Structures are given as structure tokens and as C-alpha cells.
């Protein structure tokens, strides 16, 4: 009956421990999981209080002194490897947690992804263009960064007109000839320069004015300009087109009225009011008791403007009008603060998406 010598015993110890460690190293290298729970379970099995590593350390206490160094190094290597592997797996699991679980479980109800919708300003702008589209108007576009000629000079603005002041207009790099358009009437200049009558266009777009932001003003807003030029176009044609627009936009019972006004590019010029659709013309807080709401400016195109753009003012005449899209949307829906259009609060925006 032989018994192990001390040396034999020590060697046996050594090989079993090395095997155990290598076996664990292989397990750590092969382990892969994407769910946080699985990774945690593995961590507890290897690195936990009652885990494999602590069992090895317990065993390590009884290792003969001459083998401590080699085995100690191997155990440390295992510990570092396991810790790093587990940390890496945890990091990638938390980077994409929901996708894997969603795909893992095909029976899970789909997440409710609500669709975006059009902004009320876009909806109303499209509606304006569509109404005039039915009268034969096409849509024209133009640049937002403009020059003095297209925004002011061609449109008969006298050189000292306040709209050219630094307070009203954003100029680019101190060059007064390059500016952000203050109205979409600049598109009308471009259309007349490049084409001959008959011209029938609406020009929607963003405009810029150096104004303090308040409930009724903003440095950026939207306009739609309209222009109709042909032989024998009269003020009666203008009134009829605007009445048609008012009825389509604000309801069949809407009425319009025109008040004399002044714009450099039209003569005569007028302000257009629509009967208040909130009180039916009786007078309320929105129309300030008058029964009327101002919706746009208009007039017969000044012959100076026609000539500046190369159109024979003896042969042709025309009318133009221009309105603020935010204002039309405010009046149509009773929105009291212009800033709401720019805050992008979906609770506000979704109401219009459903309404139209
Ligand atoms: N461009 C004007 C503005 O920004 C609006 C306007 C008024 C346009 C009368 C017109 C018009 O075409 O005829 O205040």
C-alpha cells in the first residue's frame, strides 16, 4: 500500500489546480451573452463570493510555498481576464438593450411610434397656395438672401425708405447690397424680370426682419405673395380673387372689406379685412369689438414697378397682394401667441395636424 510522497502529492495538487484554472480561462473566453441577466449570472458564478475564483483562492492557501508564485500568477490572470470580459459584455449589452429583447420575443406588442405631422404654418401655407391654384395661379420660389434691387429698388421703394434701415433689415457682412429678404415681393420682381404676361403666381416663403420677438412679432415669419398681370386686369378682378380666397379659407359666409393704404409698389393700395369668423362679425376680443380682422395688403401694381421689370405698363396692368402665413393661421384657429409656432411643442402642433 503505497502512499504519495510529499513531492508526488505536491505535483498532483499543482496539475489539478492548473487544469482548473485553464478550464475556467477557456470558459471565460468562450462565454458570450447579450442579455444583462445572463452576464450577471456568469459573473456571480465566476467572480461572486461563492464563485469559482474564490474557491481557487481558498485552495491556494494550502498550496506548497514553492508553487505559490506560479499558481498565484495564473489565478490573477484569470481574475483580470474574467473581469474585463464581463465588463465589455455588459457595456455592449447596455448600448443596445431593447433591440435584442424585442427581437428575442416576437410576441411582444410593438412599441407605439407616433408619426410626425406637418407644421401648422406649412399646412396653412399649402392651403393658401392650393386655393389660388384653383384660380390658375402657379407657385414661384426665390432666394432668401437677396439684393437691394429685388427687395426694394425695383419695387419703387424710395432710397430713404425706413424698411432699408439697419433696424428693419438684416444685411450681410456690412454690405448693404446683400440682405435677407424682408418680404416675398422680391420673388415678384424676379418673375416679372424673367417672363412676360400673362403672369399669375403665388410666391410662398420665409422672410426676415430685425424685430424683437413678442406674441405678435418674430424676426422670422412666412408670407405668401400673389401677382396677376395681363391686359385689362382691374381692381374688380382683385376684389373678386380676394373674396374667393376669404370664403375658401375662413368659410362661405365670410365677407371682405378694403381700406385705403400705402405700399410703394402698388397704386392704389389697400388693406384687406375679413369678417371675424370667431364672432361672425358681431365683435369679440379677437377682433377687438370691430367684427373685422386684417389679413393682408394689396393693390394695383405701380406702373413704375412694371417698367423697372421690363413690362410695358401701357399694355399691361396687374394686381398684387401679400399676407403673413402665421397671421392667417392665428386668425383661423384663434391662436393668440405667435411664439407657439416656433417652440415645437408637439401638444400644440398635433392639434392642427388633426384639424386639417
Ligand atoms: N410686401 C408687403 C409686406 O411685406 C405685403 C404686400 C402688400 C404685398 C401689398 C403686396 C401688396 O404684393 O400688393 O408688408
Amino acid at each position: 500500500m503505497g502512499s504519495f510522497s510529499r513531492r508526488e502529492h505536491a505535483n498532483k495538487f499543482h496539475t489539478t489546480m492548473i487544469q482548473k484554472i485553464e478550464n475556467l480561462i477557456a470558459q471565460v473566453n468562450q462565454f458570450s451573452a447579450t442579455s444583462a441577466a445572463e452576464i450577471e449570472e456568469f459573473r456571480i458564478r465566476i467572480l461572486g463570493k461563492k464563485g469559482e475564483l474564490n474557491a481557487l483562492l481558498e485552495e491556494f492557501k494550502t498550496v506548497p510555498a514553492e508553487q505559490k508564485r506560479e499558481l498565484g500568477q495564473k489565478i490573477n490572470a484569470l481574475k483580470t481576464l474574467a473581469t474585463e470580459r464581463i465588463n465589455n459584455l455588459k457595456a455592449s449589452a447596455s448600448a443596445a438593450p431593447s433591440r435584442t429583447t424585442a427581437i428575442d420575443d416576437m410576441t411582444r406588442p410593438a412599441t407605439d411610434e407616433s408619426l410626425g405631422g406637418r407644421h401648422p404654418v406649412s399646412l396653412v401655407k399649402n392651403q393658401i397656395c392650393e386655393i389660388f391654384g384653383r384660380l390658375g395661379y402657379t407657385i414661384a420660389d426665390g432666394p432668401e438672401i437677396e439684393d437691394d434691387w429685388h427687395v426694394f429698388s425695383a419695387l419703387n421703394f424710395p432710397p430713404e425708405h425706413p424698411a432699408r434701415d439697419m433696424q428693419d433689415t438684416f444685411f450681410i457682412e456690412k454690405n448693404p447690397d446683400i440682405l435677407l429678404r424682408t418680404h416675398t415681393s422680391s420673388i415678384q420682381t424676379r418673375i416679372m424680370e424673367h417672363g412676360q404676361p400673362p403672369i399669375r403666381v403665388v410666391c410662398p416663403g420665409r422672410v426676415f426682419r430685425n424685430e424683437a420677438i413678442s406674441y405678435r412679432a418674430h424676426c422670422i415669419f412666412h408670407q405668401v405673395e400673389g401677382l396677376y398681370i395681363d391686359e385689362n386686369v382691374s381692381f374688380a378682378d382683385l376684389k373678386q380673387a380676394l373674396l374667393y380666397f376669404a370664403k375658401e379659407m375662413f368659410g362661405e359666409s365670410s365677407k371682405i372689406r378694403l381700406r385705403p393704404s400705402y405700399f410703394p409698389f402698388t397704386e392704389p393700395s389697400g388693406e384687406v379685412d375679413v369678417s371675424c369668423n370667431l364672432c361672425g362679425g358681431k365683435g369679440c376680443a379677437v377682433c377687438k369689438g370691430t367684427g373685422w380682422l386684417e389679413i393682408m395688403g394689396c393693390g394695383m401694381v405701380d406702373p413704375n414697378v412694371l417698367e423697372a421689370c421690363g413690362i410695358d405698363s401701357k399694355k399691361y396692368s396687374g394686381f398684387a397682394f401679400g399676407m403673413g402665413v402665421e397671421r392667417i393661421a392665428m386668425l383661423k384657429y384663434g391662436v393668440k401667441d405667435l411664439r407657439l409656432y416656433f417652440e415645437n411643442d408637439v401638444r400644440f402642433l398635433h392639434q392642427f395636424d388633426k384639424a386639417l
Side-chain angles (χ1 to χ4, degrees):
M1 295 277 270
S3 64
F4 287 125
S5 68
R6 196 170 175 275
R7 172 158 282 275
E8 276 169 334
H9 177 76
N11 276 342
K12 178 92 178 159
F13 212 127
H14 184 235
T15 17
T16 21
M17 261 193 100
I18 289 209
Q19 267 166 11
K20 268 190 203 166
I21 297 168
E22 274 167 4
N23 186 8
L24 284 170
I25 287 180
Q27 281 186 39
V28 171
N29 278 331
Q30 277 160 24
F31 177 71
S32 170
T34 43
S35 92
E38 264 183 279
I39 300 167
E40 180 59 9
E41 199 180 296
F42 185 73
R43 188 193 67 79
I44 292 169
R45 186 163 80 73
I46 306 290
L47 300 174
K49 235 182 186 171
K50 294 184 181 151
E52 304 276 5
L53 190 85
N54 274 349
L56 278 175
L57 288 172
E58 220 24 64
E59 222 174 302
F60 182 73
K61 287 180 190 159
T62 61
V63 166
E66 69 270 19
Q67 292 173 10
K68 277 213 150 122
R69 196 180 147 87
E70 187 196 350
L71 282 169
Q73 276 174 353
K74 283 209 180 293
I75 294 174
N76 270 343
L78 168 68
K79 189 180 174 183
T80 316
L81 178 80
T83 315
E84 273 175 11
R85 178 112 189 104
I86 287 165
N87 285 347
N88 287 346
L89 286 170
K90 274 189 178 167
S92 43
S94 63
S98 56
R99 278 183 190 279
T100 31
T101 32
I103 293 166
D104 286 348
D105 181 1
M106 301 296 279
T107 61
R108 255 170 65 144
T111 32
D112 184 17
E113 302 273 356
S114 64
L115 281 177
R118 288 212 188 278
H119 192 281
V121 169
S122 300
L123 289 169
V124 171
K125 180 195 74 185
N126 292 346
Q127 211 185 346
I128 298 168
C129 293
E130 198 237 320
I131 292 170
F132 283 103
R134 278 180 243 147
L135 294 178
Y137 288 70
T138 54
I139 297 173
D141 203 359
E144 291 177 352
I145 302 174
E146 266 289 5
D147 52 33
D148 180 283
W149 169 257
H150 291 95
V151 178
F152 298 127
S153 298
L155 291 171
N156 207 29
F157 278 76
E160 71 285 1
H161 196 282
R164 298 177 190 228
D165 281 2
M166 298 300 276
Q167 284 84 26
D168 279 325
T169 307
F170 290 113
F171 293 94
I172 309 262
E173 286 180 357
K174 295 187 189 135
N175 179 350
D177 197 36
I178 304 177
L179 48 99
L180 293 178
R181 68 181 176 199
T182 54
H183 55 180
T184 46
S185 308
S186 53
I187 307 174
Q188 129 177 189
T189 315
R190 290 180 177 275
I191 294 292
M192 288 191 290
E193 270 177 345
H194 292 109
Q196 281 297 310
I199 292 171
R200 201 160 14 187
V201 286
V202 276
C203 315
R206 218 160 26 158
V207 300
F208 308 84
R209 290 183 195 179
N210 191 4
E211 298 219 22
I213 296 170
S214 74
Y215 74 97
R216 58 193 293 269
H218 205 289
C219 55
I220 300 177
F221 59 102
H222 298 77
Q223 287 188 333
V224 177
E225 161 102 6
L227 177 68
Y228 177 32
I229 301 180
D230 204 345
E231 290 177 40
N232 303 317
V233 176
S234 73
F235 203 85
D237 298 322
L238 168 62
K239 277 168 68 180
Q240 195 54 42
L242 297 182
L243 180 62
Y244 176 77
F245 167 74
K247 285 177 180 289
E248 292 294 300
M249 180 57 83
F250 295 103
E252 186 53 37
S253 58
S254 300
K255 297 184 183 68
I256 58 163
R257 71 173 186 187
L258 277 93
R259 288 174 288 110
S261 185
Y262 170 77
F263 298 102
F265 37 88
T266 43
E267 184 60 39
S269 303
E271 298 284 353
V272 186
D273 296 341
V274 65
S275 50
C276 178
N277 60 332
L278 296 172
C279 63
K282 286 192 215 72
C284 67
V286 174
C287 61
K288 299 197 181 80
T290 63
W292 295 97
L293 299 164
E294 188 187 315
I295 54 167
M296 66 174 107
C298 70
M300 301 305 291
V301 180
D302 193 302
N304 287 346
V305 173
L306 295 175
E307 294 296 334
C309 297
I311 290 176
D312 183 353
S313 63
K314 305 242 167 15
K315 187 167 176 206
Y316 295 109
S317 58
F319 62 72
F321 53 87
M323 66 190 100
V325 180
E326 283 85 353
R327 178 160 177 82
I328 300 287
M330 283 173 90
L331 297 176
K332 183 159 174 156
Y333 299 112
V335 175
K336 296 200 176 69
D337 194 324
L338 182 74
R339 289 168 291 198
L340 286 164
Y341 291 123
F342 299 91
E343 283 168 2
N344 279 343
D345 184 333
V346 285
R347 291 168 301 178
F348 171 74
L349 298 177
H350 266 315
Q351 303 175 73
F352 302 92
D353 208 14
K354 293 197 184 82
L356 285 170

